[in-house]
Amino acid sequence: MTTVVTRLGTLADAHGRVARDLRMSLTDRCNLRCTYCMPADGLAWLPTPEVLTDAEVVRLIGVAVGLLGVRKIRFTGGEPLLRRGLAGIIAGARALRTDEGLSPELSLTTNGIGLDHRVSELAAAGLQRVNISLDSLDRERYAILARRDRLDEVLDGLAAADATGLRPVKVNAVVMRGVNEVDVVPLAEFCLQLGYRLRFIEQMPIGPQHGWDRASMVPAAEILELLGGHFTLSPAPGRGSAPAEEWLVAGGDCHPSGTVGVIASVTGPFCATCDRTRLTADGQVRTCLFSLTETDLRTPLRSGATDEDLAELWTGAHRGKWAGHSIGRAGFRQPDRTMSAIGG
Ligand code: SF4
């Protein structure tokens, strides 16, 4: 069934940007406790009645795609694989048509645990690609960062995504000082050998209890230095609105040529070309990862608002989107909602 709706407009802001990419958080729960994202004991999860139902998620995605010009959906969490209705939500999104008359591009950000058991069902539902978090290939260091000894399951998830034909298979790795700098080169070799698109991410001040400390963040320049000491790198052309700065890697003795990316959210912000809008699992619009305010769509949705009403609210929120984050500048304040309840 194709869903056709009268268009309202686009999610334009006062800085000339238009949001085309919706990051849809499906849950704040996770089965890992990554040190840069979640306290060891977890967090107080969102009460279930406050979490959008599958039908509400698909309806709000329909508003974004059908009325507001969104063309890409990234399902995220917490850990979205913990959402039982994930395949149905993906199928509902796939049935939509963008302003270009196409199905929206559908991707998933996941820690990979259990992906091997679900990937063929998700691909059949319409999933096109995945971003899998993998900070180390060393079992011990993986367990230090994730606070769970589950590396094998992640590797199984990666292999299953690849075997199912999802493309590209992207790998996200956060580099933490004194923990996994030694993994930068082995991770790059591993991904080049298997054709996965690796991106290293600077740790951002959006983790638990406001515990971010710039000294423990490994900046992009240092990551590139580590890579440059082992690989021949050259800048890849054409970045567009993508967060990652991509580098071409020349082929070597034990790996083919390929690319590696670095997401320098802190030292090289890319806010000027940001095309993202976010919806939390409890139905709040966040115009930016670091937003200090949110716009509630859940309450009006449950009180009988029309799709057009919801679209107006969303458009209004986006009109007020700021130029970008102010990390490292006076006045920067970390949002109360942590990354685990916003999603990448
Ligand atoms: S920090 Fe905010 S404005 Fe900047 S790129 Fe990220 S979401 Fe966009």
Side-chain angles (χ1 to χ4, degrees):
M1 179 197 66
T2 304
T3 308
V4 179
V5 184
T6 320
R7 296 189 188 291
L8 242 180
T10 57
L11 291 171
D13 66 39
H15 307 279
R17 300 166 299 187
V18 172
R20 297 286 186 194
D21 183 350
L22 167 62
R23 304 296 167 97
M24 178 73 236
S25 172
L26 295 177
T27 178
D28 62 334
R29 297 171 188 241
C30 189
N31 42 12
L32 293 181
R33 295 288 178 274
C34 301
T35 55
Y36 48 80
C37 184
M38 182 101 65
D41 311 331
L43 289 164
W45 307 129
L46 288 169
T48 304
E50 291 181 19
V51 175
L52 297 173
T53 65
D54 295 357
E56 289 171 338
V57 169
V58 173
R59 180 168 168 209
L60 288 172
I61 293 175
V63 169
V65 172
L67 293 176
L68 297 172
V70 162
R71 295 173 183 162
K72 297 187 267 185
I73 316 275
R74 170 93 58 89
F75 296 104
T76 182
E79 175 46 51
L81 290 175
L82 296 180
R83 183 103 189 198
R84 230 172 275 134
L86 178 58
I89 289 171
I90 291 173
R94 182 174 181 197
L96 300 169
R97 285 295 172 269
T98 69
D99 57 343
E100 298 169 318
L102 306 168
S103 262
E105 188 189 295
L106 304 178
S107 62
L108 179 77
T109 297
T110 170
N111 62 28
I113 292 172
L115 183 61
D116 52 339
H117 303 300
R118 300 194 64 186
V119 67
S120 42
E121 171 206 12
L122 302 179
L127 187 67
Q128 290 153 306
R129 61 179 181 81
V130 283
N131 290 46
I132 298 175
S133 307
L134 178 63
D135 299 328
S136 177
L137 291 166
D138 174 83
R139 191 171 174 169
E140 216 177 299
R141 281 193 298 279
Y142 177 90
I144 289 170
L145 280 168
R147 294 198 187 100
R148 298 285 185 276
D149 181 9
R150 307 191 75 171
L151 175 61
D152 296 342
E153 294 161 83
V154 180
L155 298 176
D156 293 345
L158 264 169
D162 190 39
T164 308
L166 297 184
R167 290 292 181 277
V169 172
K170 292 190 178 180
V171 172
N172 292 350
V174 175
V175 187
M176 300 290 285
R177 191 169 300 292
V179 184
N180 63 334
E181 293 108 314
V182 291
D183 290 295
V184 167
V185 170
L187 272 170
E189 255 169 15
F190 171 78
C191 290
L192 287 164
Q193 282 157 0
L194 293 169
Y196 303 150
R197 292 257 305 272
L198 174 62
R199 296 100 58 75
F200 292 104
I201 305 176
E202 288 180 342
Q203 188 215 355
M204 293 179 277
I206 196 129
Q209 294 133 11
H210 300 215
W212 184 76
D213 138 36
R214 197 174 182 120
S216 66
M217 180 197 81
V218 178
E222 242 179 90
I223 296 169
L224 282 169
E225 215 178 295
L226 289 167
L227 291 166
H230 189 85
F231 302 102
T232 306
L233 304 176
S234 53
R239 180 173 179 181
S241 64
E245 189 172 13
E246 300 272 355
W247 295 79
L248 304 175
V249 184
D253 297 343
C254 54
H255 63 82
S257 61
T259 63
V260 64
V262 181
I263 300 181
S265 314
V266 177
T267 60
F270 34 85
C271 304
T273 55
C274 179
D275 69 344
R276 289 166 290 283
T277 184
R278 296 167 190 273
L279 195 59
T280 64
D282 56 342
Q284 312 300 305
V285 171
R286 297 179 61 81
T287 57
C288 167
L289 186 58
F290 294 94
S291 288
L292 299 174
T293 57
E294 299 179 339
T295 301
D296 179 13
L297 295 187
R298 188 189 72 236
T299 309
L301 179 149
R302 292 180 177 176
S303 328
T306 65
D307 286 359
E308 286 69 21
D309 298 335
L310 297 167
E312 289 288 348
L313 285 167
W314 206 329
T315 307
H318 242 272
R319 218 171 281 132
K321 176 170 179 164
W322 57 22
H325 69 65
S326 55
I327 302 169
R329 295 207 297 272
F332 171 73
R333 199 159 59 83
Q334 179 175 334
D336 295 333
R337 196 187 284 257
T338 58
M339 186 66 160
S340 62
I342 303 171

